[in-house]
PDB file of all heavy atoms in Angstrom:
ATOM      1  N   HIS A1128      33.547   8.454 -38.527  1.00 78.00           N
ATOM      2  CA  HIS A1128      32.783   9.350 -39.358  1.00 78.00           C
ATOM      3  C   HIS A1128      33.418   9.606 -40.670  1.00 78.00           C
ATOM      4  O   HIS A1128      34.528   9.969 -40.718  1.00 78.00           O
ATOM      5  CB  HIS A1128      32.571  10.783 -38.568  1.00 78.00           C
ATOM      6  CG  HIS A1128      31.785  11.723 -39.353  1.00 78.00           C
ATOM      7  ND1 HIS A1128      32.374  12.830 -39.837  1.00 78.00           N
ATOM      8  CD2 HIS A1128      30.478  11.763 -39.552  1.00 78.00           C
ATOM      9  CE1 HIS A1128      31.362  13.588 -40.333  1.00 78.00           C
ATOM     10  NE2 HIS A1128      30.279  12.989 -40.297  1.00 78.00           N
ATOM     11  N   ILE A1129      32.801   9.156 -41.740  1.00 86.00           N
ATOM     12  CA  ILE A1129      33.275   9.370 -43.155  1.00 86.00           C
ATOM     13  C   ILE A1129      32.310   9.990 -44.022  1.00 86.00           C
ATOM     14  O   ILE A1129      31.147   9.685 -44.017  1.00 86.00           O
ATOM     15  CB  ILE A1129      33.604   7.975 -43.798  1.00 86.00           C
ATOM     16  CG1 ILE A1129      34.583   7.111 -42.885  1.00 86.00           C
ATOM     17  CG2 ILE A1129      34.036   8.067 -45.189  1.00 86.00           C
ATOM     18  CD1 ILE A1129      34.718   5.634 -43.324  1.00 86.00           C
ATOM     19  N   THR A1130      32.763  11.082 -44.693  1.00 88.00           N
ATOM     20  CA  THR A1130      31.966  11.853 -45.610  1.00 88.00           C
ATOM     21  C   THR A1130      32.761  11.854 -46.880  1.00 88.00           C
ATOM     22  O   THR A1130      33.970  11.938 -47.041  1.00 88.00           O
ATOM     23  CB  THR A1130      31.718  13.320 -45.097  1.00 88.00           C
ATOM     24  OG1 THR A1130      32.894  13.973 -44.873  1.00 88.00           O
ATOM     25  CG2 THR A1130      30.925  13.278 -43.833  1.00 88.00           C
ATOM     26  N   THR A1131      31.967  11.897 -48.013  1.00 90.00           N
ATOM     27  CA  THR A1131      32.567  11.948 -49.348  1.00 90.00           C
ATOM     28  C   THR A1131      31.645  12.458 -50.312  1.00 90.00           C
ATOM     29  O   THR A1131      30.429  12.610 -50.073  1.00 90.00           O
ATOM     30  CB  THR A1131      33.039  10.482 -49.776  1.00 90.00           C
ATOM     31  OG1 THR A1131      33.839  10.580 -51.090  1.00 90.00           O
ATOM     32  CG2 THR A1131      31.868   9.588 -49.926  1.00 90.00           C
ATOM     33  N   GLN A1132      32.094  12.750 -51.477  1.00 92.00           N
ATOM     34  CA  GLN A1132      31.245  13.167 -52.679  1.00 92.00           C
ATOM     35  C   GLN A1132      31.843  12.378 -53.860  1.00 92.00           C
ATOM     36  O   GLN A1132      32.925  12.381 -54.197  1.00 92.00           O
ATOM     37  CB  GLN A1132      31.302  14.633 -52.934  1.00 92.00           C
ATOM     38  CG  GLN A1132      30.315  14.981 -53.958  1.00 92.00           C
ATOM     39  CD  GLN A1132      30.298  16.604 -54.183  1.00 92.00           C
ATOM     40  OE1 GLN A1132      31.240  17.291 -53.773  1.00 92.00           O
ATOM     41  NE2 GLN A1132      29.332  17.061 -54.882  1.00 92.00           N
ATOM     42  N   VAL A1133      30.789  11.676 -54.458  1.00 93.00           N
ATOM     43  CA  VAL A1133      31.205  10.824 -55.549  1.00 93.00           C
ATOM     44  C   VAL A1133      30.152  11.038 -56.725  1.00 93.00           C
ATOM     45  O   VAL A1133      29.047  11.478 -56.445  1.00 93.00           O
ATOM     46  CB  VAL A1133      31.229   9.385 -55.308  1.00 93.00           C
ATOM     47  CG1 VAL A1133      32.420   9.081 -54.275  1.00 93.00           C
ATOM     48  CG2 VAL A1133      29.985   8.782 -54.833  1.00 93.00           C
ATOM     49  N   SER A1134      30.547  10.749 -58.042  1.00 92.00           N
ATOM     50  CA  SER A1134      29.520  10.672 -59.015  1.00 92.00           C
ATOM     51  C   SER A1134      28.617   9.550 -58.836  1.00 92.00           C
ATOM     52  O   SER A1134      28.982   8.505 -58.327  1.00 92.00           O
ATOM     53  CB  SER A1134      30.201  10.705 -60.439  1.00 92.00           C
ATOM     54  OG  SER A1134      30.694   9.398 -60.598  1.00 92.00           O
ATOM     55  N   GLN A1135      27.437   9.573 -59.234  1.00 92.00           N
ATOM     56  CA  GLN A1135      26.454   8.625 -59.143  1.00 92.00           C
ATOM     57  C   GLN A1135      26.968   7.288 -59.880  1.00 92.00           C
ATOM     58  O   GLN A1135      26.706   6.181 -59.436  1.00 92.00           O
ATOM     59  CB  GLN A1135      25.084   9.028 -59.634  1.00 92.00           C
ATOM     60  CG  GLN A1135      23.988   7.941 -59.456  1.00 92.00           C
ATOM     61  CD  GLN A1135      22.669   8.465 -59.902  1.00 92.00           C
ATOM     62  OE1 GLN A1135      22.532   9.560 -60.431  1.00 92.00           O
ATOM     63  NE2 GLN A1135      21.604   7.727 -59.687  1.00 92.00           N
ATOM     64  N   THR A1136      27.703   7.442 -60.910  1.00 93.00           N
ATOM     65  CA  THR A1136      28.195   6.324 -61.677  1.00 93.00           C
ATOM     66  C   THR A1136      29.230   5.547 -60.980  1.00 93.00           C
ATOM     67  O   THR A1136      29.515   4.317 -61.287  1.00 93.00           O
ATOM     68  CB  THR A1136      28.630   6.670 -63.100  1.00 93.00           C
ATOM     69  OG1 THR A1136      29.710   7.633 -62.856  1.00 93.00           O
ATOM     70  CG2 THR A1136      27.458   7.288 -63.922  1.00 93.00           C
ATOM     71  N   ARG A1137      29.818   6.111 -60.052  1.00 92.00           N
ATOM     72  CA  ARG A1137      30.940   5.459 -59.199  1.00 92.00           C
ATOM     73  C   ARG A1137      30.606   5.248 -57.794  1.00 92.00           C
ATOM     74  O   ARG A1137      31.444   4.821 -57.055  1.00 92.00           O
ATOM     75  CB  ARG A1137      32.255   6.302 -59.326  1.00 92.00           C
ATOM     76  CG  ARG A1137      32.712   6.376 -60.801  1.00 92.00           C
ATOM     77  CD  ARG A1137      34.078   6.935 -60.875  1.00 92.00           C
ATOM     78  NE  ARG A1137      35.069   5.940 -60.629  1.00 92.00           N
ATOM     79  CZ  ARG A1137      36.437   6.200 -60.567  1.00 92.00           C
ATOM     80  NH1 ARG A1137      36.893   7.370 -61.037  1.00 92.00           N
ATOM     81  NH2 ARG A1137      37.231   5.202 -60.256  1.00 92.00           N
ATOM     82  N   ALA A1138      29.329   5.419 -57.428  1.00 92.00           N
ATOM     83  CA  ALA A1138      28.942   5.209 -55.937  1.00 92.00           C
ATOM     84  C   ALA A1138      29.221   3.950 -55.479  1.00 92.00           C
ATOM     85  O   ALA A1138      29.733   3.668 -54.308  1.00 92.00           O
ATOM     86  CB  ALA A1138      27.446   5.687 -55.811  1.00 92.00           C
ATOM     87  N   GLN A1139      28.849   2.812 -56.206  1.00 94.00           N
ATOM     88  CA  GLN A1139      28.978   1.467 -55.773  1.00 94.00           C
ATOM     89  C   GLN A1139      30.444   1.179 -55.562  1.00 94.00           C
ATOM     90  O   GLN A1139      30.860   0.497 -54.628  1.00 94.00           O
ATOM     91  CB  GLN A1139      28.297   0.532 -56.672  1.00 94.00           C
ATOM     92  CG  GLN A1139      28.280  -0.884 -56.104  1.00 94.00           C
ATOM     93  CD  GLN A1139      27.378  -1.817 -56.955  1.00 94.00           C
ATOM     94  OE1 GLN A1139      27.132  -1.509 -57.989  1.00 94.00           O
ATOM     95  NE2 GLN A1139      27.082  -2.987 -56.350  1.00 94.00           N
ATOM     96  N   GLU A1140      31.270   1.550 -56.545  1.00 93.00           N
ATOM     97  CA  GLU A1140      32.703   1.344 -56.533  1.00 93.00           C
ATOM     98  C   GLU A1140      33.334   2.124 -55.332  1.00 93.00           C
ATOM     99  O   GLU A1140      34.117   1.488 -54.569  1.00 93.00           O
ATOM    100  CB  GLU A1140      33.330   1.817 -57.870  1.00 93.00           C
ATOM    101  CG  GLU A1140      34.834   1.804 -57.790  1.00 93.00           C
ATOM    102  CD  GLU A1140      35.530   2.616 -58.965  1.00 93.00           C
ATOM    103  OE1 GLU A1140      34.793   3.307 -59.648  1.00 93.00           O
ATOM    104  OE2 GLU A1140      36.817   2.514 -59.067  1.00 93.00           O
ATOM    105  N   ALA A1141      32.859   3.266 -55.069  1.00 92.00           N
ATOM    106  CA  ALA A1141      33.377   4.072 -53.954  1.00 92.00           C
ATOM    107  C   ALA A1141      33.070   3.370 -52.652  1.00 92.00           C
ATOM    108  O   ALA A1141      33.915   3.279 -51.710  1.00 92.00           O
ATOM    109  CB  ALA A1141      32.822   5.460 -53.945  1.00 92.00           C
ATOM    110  N   GLU A1142      31.797   2.959 -52.542  1.00 92.00           N
ATOM    111  CA  GLU A1142      31.482   2.211 -51.244  1.00 92.00           C
ATOM    112  C   GLU A1142      32.363   1.043 -51.065  1.00 92.00           C
ATOM    113  O   GLU A1142      32.827   0.687 -49.897  1.00 92.00           O
ATOM    114  CB  GLU A1142      30.048   1.758 -51.416  1.00 92.00           C
ATOM    115  CG  GLU A1142      29.483   1.065 -50.156  1.00 92.00           C
ATOM    116  CD  GLU A1142      28.082   0.598 -50.248  1.00 92.00           C
ATOM    117  OE1 GLU A1142      27.409   0.749 -51.268  1.00 92.00           O
ATOM    118  OE2 GLU A1142      27.606   0.004 -49.229  1.00 92.00           O
ATOM    119  N   GLN A1143      32.638   0.208 -52.038  1.00 94.00           N
ATOM    120  CA  GLN A1143      33.437  -0.979 -51.879  1.00 94.00           C
ATOM    121  C   GLN A1143      34.904  -0.603 -51.500  1.00 94.00           C
ATOM    122  O   GLN A1143      35.507  -1.219 -50.767  1.00 94.00           O
ATOM    123  CB  GLN A1143      33.453  -1.772 -53.295  1.00 94.00           C
ATOM    124  CG  GLN A1143      32.039  -2.428 -53.523  1.00 94.00           C
ATOM    125  CD  GLN A1143      31.637  -3.276 -52.406  1.00 94.00           C
ATOM    126  OE1 GLN A1143      32.294  -4.065 -51.892  1.00 94.00           O
ATOM    127  NE2 GLN A1143      30.312  -3.098 -52.046  1.00 94.00           N
ATOM    128  N   LEU A1144      35.410   0.497 -52.122  1.00 93.00           N
ATOM    129  CA  LEU A1144      36.696   0.981 -51.766  1.00 93.00           C
ATOM    130  C   LEU A1144      36.773   1.448 -50.341  1.00 93.00           C
ATOM    131  O   LEU A1144      37.820   1.095 -49.692  1.00 93.00           O
ATOM    132  CB  LEU A1144      37.162   2.061 -52.717  1.00 93.00           C
ATOM    133  CG  LEU A1144      37.425   1.754 -54.285  1.00 93.00           C
ATOM    134  CD1 LEU A1144      37.474   3.025 -55.081  1.00 93.00           C
ATOM    135  CD2 LEU A1144      38.718   0.865 -54.310  1.00 93.00           C
ATOM    136  N   ILE A1145      35.784   2.067 -49.903  1.00 91.00           N
ATOM    137  CA  ILE A1145      35.835   2.551 -48.489  1.00 91.00           C
ATOM    138  C   ILE A1145      35.679   1.315 -47.506  1.00 91.00           C
ATOM    139  O   ILE A1145      36.503   1.276 -46.468  1.00 91.00           O
ATOM    140  CB  ILE A1145      34.669   3.517 -48.235  1.00 91.00           C
ATOM    141  CG1 ILE A1145      34.943   4.812 -48.979  1.00 91.00           C
ATOM    142  CG2 ILE A1145      34.547   3.793 -46.692  1.00 91.00           C
ATOM    143  CD1 ILE A1145      33.683   5.730 -49.023  1.00 91.00           C
ATOM    144  N   LEU A1146      34.885   0.376 -47.863  1.00 92.00           N
ATOM    145  CA  LEU A1146      34.819  -0.835 -46.962  1.00 92.00           C
ATOM    146  C   LEU A1146      36.173  -1.610 -46.952  1.00 92.00           C
ATOM    147  O   LEU A1146      36.499  -2.065 -45.948  1.00 92.00           O
ATOM    148  CB  LEU A1146      33.682  -1.672 -47.442  1.00 92.00           C
ATOM    149  CG  LEU A1146      32.227  -1.063 -47.302  1.00 92.00           C
ATOM    150  CD1 LEU A1146      31.159  -1.993 -47.910  1.00 92.00           C
ATOM    151  CD2 LEU A1146      31.912  -0.876 -45.736  1.00 92.00           C
ATOM    152  N   TYR A1147      36.806  -1.598 -48.042  1.00 91.00           N
ATOM    153  CA  TYR A1147      38.031  -2.207 -48.115  1.00 91.00           C
ATOM    154  C   TYR A1147      39.074  -1.533 -47.212  1.00 91.00           C
ATOM    155  O   TYR A1147      39.765  -2.247 -46.420  1.00 91.00           O
ATOM    156  CB  TYR A1147      38.735  -2.341 -49.605  1.00 91.00           C
ATOM    157  CG  TYR A1147      39.980  -3.050 -49.680  1.00 91.00           C
ATOM    158  CD1 TYR A1147      40.037  -4.439 -49.824  1.00 91.00           C
ATOM    159  CD2 TYR A1147      41.195  -2.344 -49.596  1.00 91.00           C
ATOM    160  CE1 TYR A1147      41.199  -5.045 -49.914  1.00 91.00           C
ATOM    161  CE2 TYR A1147      42.358  -2.997 -49.660  1.00 91.00           C
ATOM    162  CZ  TYR A1147      42.368  -4.325 -49.837  1.00 91.00           C
ATOM    163  OH  TYR A1147      43.656  -4.959 -49.819  1.00 91.00           O
ATOM    164  N   VAL A1148      39.137  -0.232 -47.228  1.00 89.00           N
ATOM    165  CA  VAL A1148      40.111   0.458 -46.353  1.00 89.00           C
ATOM    166  C   VAL A1148      39.610   0.280 -44.914  1.00 89.00           C
ATOM    167  O   VAL A1148      40.604  -0.044 -44.057  1.00 89.00           O
ATOM    168  CB  VAL A1148      39.984   1.983 -46.614  1.00 89.00           C
ATOM    169  CG1 VAL A1148      40.592   2.919 -45.549  1.00 89.00           C
ATOM    170  CG2 VAL A1148      40.613   2.301 -48.074  1.00 89.00           C
ATOM    171  N   ILE A1149      38.413   0.180 -44.620  1.00 86.00           N
ATOM    172  CA  ILE A1149      38.075  -0.093 -43.189  1.00 86.00           C
ATOM    173  C   ILE A1149      38.517  -1.465 -42.718  1.00 86.00           C
ATOM    174  O   ILE A1149      38.990  -1.626 -41.593  1.00 86.00           O
ATOM    175  CB  ILE A1149      36.447   0.131 -43.000  1.00 86.00           C
ATOM    176  CG1 ILE A1149      36.150   1.678 -43.111  1.00 86.00           C
ATOM    177  CG2 ILE A1149      35.938  -0.480 -41.751  1.00 86.00           C
ATOM    178  CD1 ILE A1149      34.696   1.898 -43.258  1.00 86.00           C
ATOM    179  N   ASP A1150      38.256  -2.406 -43.644  1.00 88.00           N
ATOM    180  CA  ASP A1150      38.636  -3.780 -43.266  1.00 88.00           C
ATOM    181  C   ASP A1150      40.015  -4.050 -43.216  1.00 88.00           C
ATOM    182  O   ASP A1150      40.510  -4.930 -42.451  1.00 88.00           O
ATOM    183  CB  ASP A1150      37.994  -4.799 -44.403  1.00 88.00           C
ATOM    184  CG  ASP A1150      36.518  -4.960 -44.349  1.00 88.00           C
ATOM    185  OD1 ASP A1150      35.936  -4.555 -43.155  1.00 88.00           O
ATOM    186  OD2 ASP A1150      35.883  -5.363 -45.243  1.00 88.00           O
ATOM    187  N   HIS A1151      40.831  -3.287 -43.807  1.00 87.00           N
ATOM    188  CA  HIS A1151      42.265  -3.430 -43.912  1.00 87.00           C
ATOM    189  C   HIS A1151      43.048  -2.327 -43.270  1.00 87.00           C
ATOM    190  O   HIS A1151      44.410  -2.387 -43.504  1.00 87.00           O
ATOM    191  CB  HIS A1151      42.763  -3.763 -45.388  1.00 87.00           C
ATOM    192  CG  HIS A1151      42.186  -4.954 -45.938  1.00 87.00           C
ATOM    193  ND1 HIS A1151      40.938  -4.952 -46.552  1.00 87.00           N
ATOM    194  CD2 HIS A1151      42.543  -6.261 -45.879  1.00 87.00           C
ATOM    195  CE1 HIS A1151      40.719  -6.180 -46.901  1.00 87.00           C
ATOM    196  NE2 HIS A1151      41.577  -7.010 -46.523  1.00 87.00           N
ATOM    197  N   ILE A1152      42.514  -1.483 -42.558  1.00 81.00           N
ATOM    198  CA  ILE A1152      43.242  -0.291 -42.086  1.00 81.00           C
ATOM    199  C   ILE A1152      44.418  -0.779 -41.063  1.00 81.00           C
ATOM    200  O   ILE A1152      45.513  -0.213 -41.043  1.00 81.00           O
ATOM    201  CB  ILE A1152      42.421   0.833 -41.536  1.00 81.00           C
ATOM    202  CG1 ILE A1152      43.091   2.078 -41.347  1.00 81.00           C
ATOM    203  CG2 ILE A1152      41.855   0.301 -40.174  1.00 81.00           C
ATOM    204  CD1 ILE A1152      42.262   3.335 -41.090  1.00 81.00           C
ATOM    205  N   ALA A1153      44.172  -1.762 -40.387  1.00 79.00           N
ATOM    206  CA  ALA A1153      45.075  -2.185 -39.360  1.00 79.00           C
ATOM    207  C   ALA A1153      46.280  -2.821 -40.056  1.00 79.00           C
ATOM    208  O   ALA A1153      47.364  -2.865 -39.471  1.00 79.00           O
ATOM    209  CB  ALA A1153      44.439  -3.215 -38.398  1.00 79.00           C
ATOM    210  N   ASP A1154      46.107  -3.362 -41.187  1.00 85.00           N
ATOM    211  CA  ASP A1154      47.261  -4.058 -41.871  1.00 85.00           C
ATOM    212  C   ASP A1154      48.431  -2.999 -42.217  1.00 85.00           C
ATOM    213  O   ASP A1154      49.601  -3.540 -42.281  1.00 85.00           O
ATOM    214  CB  ASP A1154      46.923  -4.711 -43.152  1.00 85.00           C
ATOM    215  CG  ASP A1154      45.781  -5.687 -43.100  1.00 85.00           C
ATOM    216  OD1 ASP A1154      45.600  -6.260 -41.905  1.00 85.00           O
ATOM    217  OD2 ASP A1154      45.076  -5.998 -43.993  1.00 85.00           O
ATOM    218  N   SER A1155      48.139  -1.752 -42.322  1.00 80.00           N
ATOM    219  CA  SER A1155      49.204  -0.808 -42.740  1.00 80.00           C
ATOM    220  C   SER A1155      49.459   0.275 -41.546  1.00 80.00           C
ATOM    221  O   SER A1155      49.994   1.210 -41.741  1.00 80.00           O
ATOM    222  CB  SER A1155      48.746  -0.137 -44.018  1.00 80.00           C
ATOM    223  OG  SER A1155      47.641   0.677 -43.756  1.00 80.00           O
ATOM    224  N   PHE A1156      48.940  -0.031 -40.399  1.00 81.00           N
ATOM    225  CA  PHE A1156      49.005   0.838 -39.241  1.00 81.00           C
ATOM    226  C   PHE A1156      50.440   0.655 -38.654  1.00 81.00           C
ATOM    227  O   PHE A1156      50.813  -0.470 -38.284  1.00 81.00           O
ATOM    228  CB  PHE A1156      47.963   0.423 -38.237  1.00 81.00           C
ATOM    229  CG  PHE A1156      47.646   1.505 -37.274  1.00 81.00           C
ATOM    230  CD1 PHE A1156      46.879   2.571 -37.535  1.00 81.00           C
ATOM    231  CD2 PHE A1156      48.232   1.456 -35.965  1.00 81.00           C
ATOM    232  CE1 PHE A1156      46.534   3.593 -36.602  1.00 81.00           C
ATOM    233  CE2 PHE A1156      47.933   2.377 -34.999  1.00 81.00           C
ATOM    234  CZ  PHE A1156      47.090   3.451 -35.399  1.00 81.00           C
TER     235      PHE A1156
END
Side-chain angles (χ1 to χ4, degrees):
H1128 179 248
I1129 298 172
T1130 56
T1131 188
Q1132 183 178 19
V1133 298
S1134 70
Q1135 187 175 2
T1136 59
R1137 297 191 78 179
Q1139 188 173 18
E1140 173 192 5
E1142 180 180 3
Q1143 294 304 313
L1144 290 167
I1145 292 169
L1146 291 173
Y1147 181 85
V1148 167
I1149 291 169
D1150 288 343
H1151 295 90
I1152 197 164
D1154 299 342
S1155 63
F1156 201 80

